Amino acid sequence: MQSTPFSSNLRHACSTRKSVSEICRQLGINRQQFNRYVNGEAAPSPNNLARIAAFFGVRPAEFSLDPVSFEQRLMNAGGGSFGADLLSPCFPGNLQSLRRHLGYYQTYHVSLSWPGMVVCSCARLDEHEGAVRVKSIERIQDRPHEIRQFSKYVGLASFLRDRIFIVERSTGHEPMIAQTILTPFETHQRIYLKGMTLGVSWRKQNLPYASRVIWRYLGADTDRRLLLSRCGVLQPNSRQLPPTVREFLDRDENPAISIPFSGT
């Protein structure tokens, strides 16, 4: 075993967690390869180093610190400007499993802003420096009400406990946060991700709401103009909705719920 600052610091970081096996599962890194990092037999790629550092809540360069300084930095990982991001160990979670879902999607959910209507949007999951980024676009033209809306959302995706977790924020001067939880592709189909989304309605005094959501996978690449052209507000019986989408959103239970705030 060849001890290096990185391997020594990595061993200490691993000692703060339940098990190396659990760390490998959450990182999506092969256990045998990870052991080579711990033993100083190999150095991780920049991609894997970024993922390992994010998992422990430190910067990649800090693994090169002397052991005393690194232990102090790791201890303070819950505070300070960088360590304040307490969610960083959760992203991307199991990257190997999440990679199966990279690509473009047409997304559908029942909207509170347009009661009884289905909002069709588009999204992309892509990998960058060990993280899986999310970019979503809503483009709505409501001609009867003379409304044109174009919204962008950016965020991160995680794969934990056989679920895909997505946290996004809208771009602009006053961003909002939206959260989505999806079930991975089923064994017999590789097209649809089904789940719930939580956000606020910009036409209903920012009331919070939860709605069923379904994502339709279009592949690693697609015609982006066509993808955007399909976005908009649709009737629940629209022929533009695939049968699987209609069936999932048109169940007996309320497809979208909201809890209004009462004045005090």
Side-chain angles (χ1 to χ4, degrees), residues 122-126 133-137 152-155 168:
C122 58
R124 181 190 182 190
L125 299 182
D126 76 292
R133 304 178 300 187
V134 185
K135 182 178 180 180
S136 303
I137 294 178
K152 291 184 179 180
Y153 299 83
V154 293
E168 300 173 275

Side-chain angles (χ1 to χ4, degrees), residues 164-184:
I164 300 171
F165 296 85
I166 294 172
V167 179
E168 300 173 275
R169 65 169 178 84
S170 58
T171 60
H173 297 296
E174 297 184 356
M176 292 286 190
I177 292 178
Q179 302 172 69
T180 301
I181 302 176
L182 300 169
T183 300

Side-chain angles (χ1 to χ4, degrees), residues 36-259:
R36 296 184 67 201
Y37 301 156
V38 172
N39 295 331
E41 298 171 357
S45 65
N47 185 352
N48 281 351
L49 176 58
R51 292 160 57 193
I52 292 169
F55 179 84
F56 289 107
V58 299
R59 298 181 187 277
E62 289 173 329
F63 270 100
S64 297
L65 294 173
D66 63 89
V68 175
S69 298
F70 179 79
E71 289 180 22
Q72 185 63 43
R73 189 63 190 85
L74 191 65
M75 187 182 304
N76 295 333
S81 59
F82 185 79
D85 184 8
L86 300 180
L87 293 178
S88 60
C90 296
F91 293 89
N94 188 332
L95 181 58
Q96 184 175 354
S97 295
L98 194 53
R99 281 176 174 150
R100 293 198 293 267
H101 305 284
L102 300 180
Y104 289 86
Y105 291 84
Q106 203 87 58
T107 72
Y108 308 86
H109 74 278
V110 178
S111 172
L112 187 65
S113 297
W114 283 271
M117 305 287 281
V118 176
V119 173
C120 175
S121 308
C122 58
R124 181 190 182 190
L125 299 182
D126 76 292
E127 183 179 345
H128 179 72
E129 295 183 351
V132 174
R133 304 178 300 187
V134 185
K135 182 178 180 180
S136 303
I137 294 178
E138 282 186 2
R139 190 174 73 169
I140 296 173
Q141 294 188 36
D142 185 352
R143 291 186 175 86
H145 296 92
E146 298 183 350
I147 293 176
R148 297 184 65 185
Q149 175 189 340
F150 187 85
S151 302
K152 291 184 179 180
Y153 299 83
V154 293
L156 294 172
S158 173
F159 194 104
L160 298 169
R161 294 195 175 188
D162 201 33
R163 292 292 181 269
I164 300 171
F165 296 85
I166 294 172
V167 179
E168 300 173 275
R169 65 169 178 84
S170 58
T171 60
H173 297 296
E174 297 184 356
M176 292 286 190
I177 292 178
Q179 302 172 69
T180 301
I181 302 176
L182 300 169
T183 300
F185 295 142
E186 298 174 11
T187 302
H188 60 280
Q189 68 88 10
R190 302 286 177 178
I191 301 296
Y192 292 100
L193 302 176
K194 304 174 183 178
M196 295 290 296
T197 189
L198 174 68
V200 295
S201 172
W202 68 275
R203 291 186 65 195
K204 298 289 184 178
Q205 301 175 329
N206 289 338
L207 290 180
Y209 74 93
S211 169
R212 283 197 292 274
V213 65
I214 181 168
W215 288 30
R216 184 173 186 265
Y217 182 62
L218 300 177
D221 200 5
T222 189
D223 185 330
R224 301 180 191 183
R225 289 188 177 182
L226 180 60
L227 184 64
L228 281 171
S229 70
R230 293 170 176 164
C231 296
V233 180
L234 304 173
Q235 294 286 348
N237 59 353
S238 170
R239 293 184 178 180
Q240 297 182 50
L241 294 176
T244 300
V245 173
R246 288 201 303 268
E247 292 170 6
F248 180 71
L249 297 180
D250 191 31
R251 292 179 177 175
D252 293 336
E253 319 95 87
N254 291 329
I257 59 174
S258 176
I259 302 178

